[in-house]
Amino acid sequence: MTINTEDLLGSIIESLERIEYIKAEDIPDIDLYMDQVTTFMESHLRTTARNPEQDKILTKTMINNYAKNDLLPPPVKKKYSKQHVLLLIFIYYYKGILSISDIQELFKPITERFFHTTDEFNLASVYEEVFGLEREQADILKTDVIDKFKIAEQTFADAPEDSKKFLQMFSFICMLSFDVYVKRLLIEKMIDGLSDKGDKAERKNRKRQDDSSQTDN
């Protein structure tokens, strides 16, 4: 089994350098029908798919499921706003690492506070602020990947020659996987914290309502 890990690394770095995101200004300001939404997402995110010729970026079924799971506010007269598209982009990136319930918990306050607002600070502002960090983070990630690759190259020095390259690539994958694993744990812990705060706030609100009811009586 022959694997050229240096070619693999080069491909990864090249992909990181090509990373782009959909700017809020690229999203139409007019409301779109579902077919138009899926076409827009397909045209802008096709290169991010693992198998671009086969994988679906977004389907009507996905959109309907997101709405059923309260990830996406319902359309108005079967049309989706710019805010809908922004949420769908967020969901697209998060669904690969988080459960639907975690995404729902994370974006519930975002949707409640910024989806319907006409203030200058709105969902588009949040989106631009977050994704505006991507270039800096891509450069940091590129350096980290190269460092891990160099470490992996030093492993299994005494392994048989016919297995060494594979085992070194396995080491490389393990280090990248561990990094993802730890970060996912951290994200889940923070989301659980949001849930705890929400539960406490809800319990406090219920208690306030109960106390008010007893006073009225």
Side-chain angles (χ1 to χ4, degrees), residues 42-68:
E42 285 283 339
S43 64
H44 284 78
L45 295 173
R46 171 55 45 199
T47 57
T48 66
R50 182 176 183 178
N51 300 299
E53 301 301 323
Q54 302 175 11
D55 296 344
K56 291 290 185 181
I57 300 298
L58 185 68
T59 65
K60 295 179 181 179
T61 300
M62 291 178 188
I63 294 176
N64 288 330
N65 285 337
Y66 297 153
K68 288 178 183 177

Side-chain angles (χ1 to χ4, degrees), residues 24-175:
E25 63 195 48
D26 295 335
I27 303 172
D29 288 320
I30 60 173
D31 294 345
L32 304 174
Y33 286 108
M34 186 179 287
D35 284 341
Q36 294 173 306
V37 172
T38 57
T39 298
F40 176 85
M41 295 286 281
E42 285 283 339
S43 64
H44 284 78
L45 295 173
R46 171 55 45 199
T47 57
T48 66
R50 182 176 183 178
N51 300 299
E53 301 301 323
Q54 302 175 11
D55 296 344
K56 291 290 185 181
I57 300 298
L58 185 68
T59 65
K60 295 179 181 179
T61 300
M62 291 178 188
I63 294 176
N64 288 330
N65 285 337
Y66 297 153
K68 288 178 183 177
N69 285 282
D70 296 325
L71 291 176
L72 197 69
V76 178
K77 297 181 179 179
K78 297 184 178 181
K79 285 190 173 183
Y80 296 83
S81 67
K82 183 172 185 174
Q83 286 72 29
H84 281 105
V85 177
L86 289 169
L87 281 178
L88 286 169
I89 296 169
F90 272 121
I91 293 169
Y92 174 75
Y93 284 112
Y94 275 97
K95 68 179 182 177
I97 57 173
L98 294 175
S99 67
I100 291 296
S101 60
D102 278 343
I103 299 175
Q104 180 184 14
E105 191 68 41
L106 180 61
F107 282 99
K108 182 178 179 182
I110 296 292
T111 303
E112 290 176 348
R113 297 175 192 177
F114 305 115
F115 186 86
H116 296 289
T117 183
T118 56
D119 297 339
E120 183 178 346
F121 192 80
N122 50 31
L123 186 57
S125 302
V126 174
Y127 176 88
E128 285 288 358
E129 183 79 17
V130 171
F131 280 92
L133 301 171
E134 61 87 22
R135 174 49 58 193
E136 178 184 351
Q137 292 303 308
D139 290 338
I140 293 172
L141 180 58
K142 182 169 65 174
T143 300
D144 181 63
V145 169
I146 292 173
D147 289 342
K148 284 182 169 61
F149 175 76
K150 290 179 179 178
I151 293 171
E153 278 191 316
Q154 305 305 314
T155 61
F156 296 103
D158 299 326
E161 286 300 323
D162 61 345
S163 301
K164 183 181 293 187
K165 283 291 184 182
F166 168 76
L167 291 172
Q168 288 173 342
M169 189 189 72
F170 181 70
S171 295
F172 185 37
I173 291 173
C174 285
M175 283 190 288

Side-chain angles (χ1 to χ4, degrees), residues 168-185:
Q168 288 173 342
M169 189 189 72
F170 181 70
S171 295
F172 185 37
I173 291 173
C174 285
M175 283 190 288
L176 294 173
S177 299
F178 181 70
D179 190 50
V180 173
Y181 169 73
V182 172
K183 288 177 180 177
R184 177 172 178 170
L185 283 181

